[in-house]
Each structure stands twice: as structure tokens, then as C-alpha cells.
Amino acid sequence: MDHDIEKAPSAPPTRRDALRVAAGLLAVGAVPLTAHGAAADPGDIDVCTGGYDAEYEADLAMAEALFEAEEHRAFAPERPPGRYTLPLRRGFRVSARYGIRGDWLAGHHTGIDLAVPTGTPVYAVSAGVVVLARRSGQYGKAVTVRMRDGHYAVFAHLSRIKVRQGARIRAGARIGSSGATGRATGPHLHLEIRARRGYGSDIDPVRYLARRGAPLL
């Protein structure tokens, strides 16, 4: 499979429009759109410069709502999570660690930035279902996977997406290629792990993977 996916498959217009409006209002109403943290120290050039993005969060909420409304099998009771693996198979430089203070809505960097050349293969860290695979706001071309343990993995700023929304994937499946789409100062992979779907539920990706036998650093 070698897709360059810009948009998720469309649902019927009336239903899609209604869900988009509802999700957008929920996302915008739930969290303010301005960050109040201290200014970030960029340090390196290959980093994320954006923060909370209403377009991405609304797209993600809408996609999950469609899955749930259609009783998609991905939202059946969770199976054992299985094995975990690393998102990259070549050397990388950490250009921004998780949790550094900065001008993000959360007050800190919500993922880890791994600087690699544009086009570097990116792999799923765990088995799961692709909830969203499209270009959305500041995350650029991004893939979001709901993993079997109920956590979400966000792979952002990709140059190419190679999976489709709704696909069930295994750990180590190639999901795309690294890039600098969206708000980024250079090519890198932004890997974000969320305990729940919404922004602000992020956890440390390094600790998450290390505890599951896949040490990133």
C-alpha cells in the first residue's frame, strides 16, 4: 500500500456535518485556544511550534464518534495489548523531549520530537485501529492509532501516510514517512501517547514504551 492520504473517507454529508459541528463546539468550548506557559527554548531546529489545535481535535472526535455510532469492531472490549516496538528503525536525534516547559496550552511539550530526514519510515508502536489518518491543522499529516490497551498514539508532521482510517494494524506496521508538515521548524517525528483521546491526557512516551519492553532512549 502506498497512499498519500489527505482526507479520511467521507461519511454521509448531513451526518458528517452535524458531527463536525458538535465536535468542533465541544473542542473549542472545552479548552481555550491560547497558551499561557513560559516561552519555549527551541534548542534545536527540528521541533513542533504549535500547541492545541481545534481542527485536529474536532476531526479526531468526529472520527471516533462515527466509529462508535456504527458499532465498529475496533471499539469492542479490548484484547491483550500484545507486543510493542519502536516507531523508527534508524538513528535519530531528540530535538525536543516530552514535558519541557513552553508556550503550549498544556504548559509543556505533549510528545517527543525525533529528528530524522524527511521520508524516514515510521512504524506503529503497537497493534490497534487507525482512528484518523489525514492532514489536520498544526499536526500536519498525522496518523492516530487507538491501541489495544485503550491508549492513543499520535504520529505527527508526516510527509506521507500509508494507512487508511479504520484499518486494523499490527505492531511494527509501516504507517507513513517522516516530514515537516503542519507547524514544524524542520523534519521530525512527533510521537505523542495519550491516556484518552483528548488533548491534555498525554503521558511520557519514553516511560510508556520502556515499561512495555520497547526502550526508545
Side-chain angles (χ1 to χ4, degrees), residues 41-169:
D41 178 6
D44 288 299
I45 61 169
D46 304 319
V47 297
C48 305
T49 59
Y52 174 82
D53 186 85
E55 179 184 351
Y56 171 78
E57 300 300 333
D59 285 345
L60 185 56
M62 181 187 68
E64 188 165 87
L66 287 172
F67 278 127
E68 291 175 331
E70 295 167 6
E71 298 182 347
H72 194 281
R73 61 180 181 169
F75 290 88
E78 303 292 350
R79 294 184 294 167
R83 72 184 183 94
Y84 288 77
T85 188
L86 300 180
L88 299 170
R89 295 178 183 170
R90 59 159 292 163
F92 57 81
R93 175 173 53 86
V94 176
S95 53
R97 290 183 176 271
Y98 171 77
I100 60 173
R101 304 299 297 176
D103 195 27
W104 295 281
L105 179 65
H108 62 270
H109 190 222
T110 56
I112 186 170
D113 290 350
L114 309 175
V116 286
T118 295
T120 300
V122 175
Y123 303 94
V125 298
S126 175
V129 63
V130 178
V131 179
L132 194 64
R134 58 166 294 167
R135 184 173 188 135
S136 294
Q138 297 180 17
Y139 282 89
K141 292 181 181 180
V143 171
T144 303
V145 177
R146 175 171 167 167
M147 298 179 285
R148 288 180 178 174
D149 65 355
H151 287 68
Y152 292 74
V154 182
F155 306 84
H157 308 303
L158 303 175
S159 61
R160 175 169 289 188
I161 293 172
K162 296 179 71 68
V163 291
R164 292 188 181 276
Q165 180 178 321
R168 297 183 69 86
I169 59 174

Side-chain angles (χ1 to χ4, degrees), residues 4 75-76 82 90 119 171 176 185 199:
D4 189 2
F75 290 88
R90 59 159 292 163
T185 59
Y199 181 86

Side-chain angles (χ1 to χ4, degrees), residues 2 16 23 33 59 74 84 137 155 159 179 181 190 196 201 211 214:
D2 189 6
R16 179 184 177 89
L33 299 183
D59 285 345
Y84 288 77
F155 306 84
S159 61
T181 56
H190 172 84
R196 298 176 300 283
S201 66
R211 290 171 179 171

